[in-house]
Amino acid sequence: MNGKAPSLLVTGGSRGIGAAVCRLAGARGYRVAVNYVSDEQAAERVVADIKAAGGEAFAVAGDVGREADILAVFEEIDRRFGRLDALVNNAGVVDRMARVDEISLDRLERMFRINVTGSFLCAREAVRRMSTRHGGQGGAIVNLSSAAARLGSPGWYVDYAASKAAVETMTKGLALEVAAEKVRVNAVRPGIIDTDIHASGGEPDRVAQVRDALPMKREGTADEVARGILWLLSDEASYTTGTVLDITGGR
Ligand code: NAP
């Protein structure tokens, strides 16, 4: 890795699972680019925590639903770090509970623009920097899917579930495209994890409501998901690509 600490971009690194990935990666020696879309203070808190622990990090604003923002985020990483070794395609959104027969075009387009198109464009920019085909030194990408991709989320948000299924198919296809170019691509499939995402979908009590129906009778933590992601990024997972790791407590 050129003797320098590896560099990592986490989209949506300001809160929830992304923030947990940033903090753990910082502690494990990655130089971390903490992307956020609106909560600058949260992103700066993550950066401050990483620096306080002796690591290197910076916050970078950018909406993964906008190509121009994505290009600017990657250019900032080029300037600051000089290269990119790892990407976690974490930024993602849900929406209000709704059946398919209630879903608007605006909602569908937003969901797919952020969750699917954003993940594709970030992966594209990462591969252009990592792949030996483009003169890179290799790298690793982890995409955030969801148990929803398996379950379909009827009555909750089938559109979200379908967007995550698209992320899984992208993971498989891209992994095979770049397997011989020193880039590994995997995904994680979290179950119910205690973050702000449920409140952002209008269901602040969701975790408490479903807890008893979960196999372990508890939700997962962002740290538990982060540990799986860090493993997939690491050389410990050097022969693992194109796979999806369930972190669902058996759900
Ligand atoms: P969260 O707590 O709602 O945090 C979302 C993060 O993404 C924030 O840092 C937010 O930035 C950022 N973000 C949102 N829209 C963005 C955009 N357009 N561009 C850039 N950043 C954006 O979410 P989470 O629960 O940690 O979820 C992270 C990922 O895991 C998502 O892909 C989600 O679908 C997936 N997941 C979560 C669960 C769960 O139960 N929590 C389960 C399965 C899968 P700001 O702070 O600036 O708003």
Side-chain angles (χ1 to χ4, degrees):
M1 294 227 178
N2 254 352
K4 275 202 133 185
S7 60
L8 163 69
L9 166 62
V10 181
T11 64
S14 44
R15 291 184 291 120
I17 294 167
V21 171
C22 289
R23 290 191 174 96
L24 188 58
R28 293 193 182 171
Y30 286 88
R31 296 179 290 164
V32 187
V34 181
N35 162 251
Y36 66 98
V37 66
S38 57
D39 198 337
E40 182 178 5
Q41 286 189 343
E44 290 297 352
R45 275 197 298 275
V46 173
V47 169
D49 287 349
I50 292 171
K51 287 183 175 170
E56 192 180 336
F58 71 95
V60 56
D63 180 349
V64 301
R66 289 170 43 95
E67 184 179 30
D69 285 17
I70 291 173
L71 295 179
V73 166
F74 277 84
E75 280 162 16
E76 184 66 11
I77 291 168
D78 293 342
R79 268 194 298 278
R80 299 259 201 153
F81 291 158
R83 66 163 207 274
L84 183 69
D85 302 288
L87 164 69
V88 178
N89 253 328
N90 167 79
V93 292
V94 295
D95 212 314
R96 303 254 153 194
M97 287 176 76
R99 289 166 44 104
V100 172
D101 52 15
E102 299 163 342
I103 288 176
S104 69
L105 175 62
D106 279 354
R107 168 183 166 133
L108 268 180
E109 288 185 340
R110 170 179 173 267
M111 183 84 73
F112 278 76
R113 193 172 65 247
I114 294 172
N115 294 1
V116 182
T117 307
S119 296
F120 261 91
L121 293 178
C122 289
R124 181 190 75 190
E125 292 308 306
V127 166
R128 286 177 178 174
R129 287 158 175 81
M130 295 172 179
S131 165
T132 53
R133 180 190 176 101
H134 297 287
Q137 315 223 340
I141 298 172
V142 174
N143 299 316
L144 267 288
S145 178
S146 167
R150 251 197 297 105
L151 300 170
S153 299
W156 282 22
Y157 29 53
V158 174
D159 49 352
Y160 172 77
S163 76
K164 293 302 187 178
V167 166
E168 291 193 11
T169 303
M170 187 262 274
T171 301
K172 181 70 180 174
L174 177 60
L176 295 173
E177 279 185 0
V178 298
E181 300 168 18
K182 293 199 172 173
V183 181
R184 294 182 302 104
V185 186
N186 293 288
V188 295
R189 198 187 275 142
I192 300 284
I193 310 299
D194 186 19
T195 72
D196 299 339
I197 202 168
H198 311 289
S200 73
E203 298 289 327
D205 301 328
R206 165 162 298 144
V207 172
Q209 283 163 7
V210 301
R211 185 174 289 135
D212 283 349
L214 299 175
M216 290 187 180
K217 305 296 176 202
R218 71 166 180 89
E219 66 277 23
T221 67
D223 285 334
E224 288 174 309
V225 180
R227 287 198 286 272
I229 292 171
L230 263 291
W231 176 73
L232 286 169
L233 290 179
S234 78
D235 287 342
E236 295 290 311
S238 53
Y239 203 53
T240 301
T241 198
T243 197
V244 184
L245 177 63
D246 270 275
I247 308 180
T248 60
R251 181 165 172 246

